Amino acid sequence: MRTGLNRRSLLSRGGSLAPLVGLGLLAGATPAAAETGAQESRLLPLLGTWAVEVTFPSVNRPPEAGLFAFVADGVLVATTTGAGHLSLGSWRLASGGFSFSFRHFMYADDDGTWTGEVRIEQTGTFTSSSWRATGTGTAFDTEGNQVAVVQSATTATRY
């Protein structure tokens, strides 16, 4: 019986193992940040998972519910009821708080055709159990032409 690692077997199973590796990265992020110094300790309140509400004060659009996850290495994973699917981005320290940006694709409701993307940029402040941020969402069509800029505000609570 052979006990060594079989390269082909590992490669064929890699796709099914990838989500588990990703969860391991999310779960292991906080302790690593806690050990790295004073600047990172300021971030500890932000790291982890959040239930969010996004409002649009300048347009007649209903609020969106969402879930965000801030990871220690600056990765942001987000989804909202408006996007309807996963959004990816990054976050970083900013003067007096933090800033984040992410993108999500837009699709036509009737047939699911890709119609463009939205690029969200917000700046916020946090406490140990909540945060608030404001900024813009800029929509682009599939050719990269800017079609709209909308102000938005996000409030979040830890879950």
Side-chain angles (χ1 to χ4, degrees), residues 10-104:
L10 286 174
L11 289 174
S12 69
R13 292 186 181 121
S16 62
L17 295 175
L20 297 174
V21 171
L23 288 174
L25 290 174
L26 286 174
T30 302
E35 298 171 4
T36 58
Q39 181 178 6
E40 286 79 5
S41 68
R42 285 185 42 218
L43 301 177
L44 288 178
L46 185 59
L47 295 178
T49 53
W50 300 88
V52 303
E53 180 182 65
V54 182
T55 57
F56 306 93
S58 62
V59 294
N60 186 19
R61 181 182 172 116
E64 297 177 6
L67 301 171
F68 286 17
F70 291 88
V71 183
D73 63 357
V75 173
L76 170 61
V77 180
T79 186
T80 66
T81 53
H85 55 278
L86 190 63
S87 303
L88 298 173
S90 61
W91 65 273
R92 59 213 149 281
L93 285 177
S95 179
F98 66 98
S99 63
F100 63 86
S101 59
F102 63 89
R103 292 182 180 189
H104 68 78

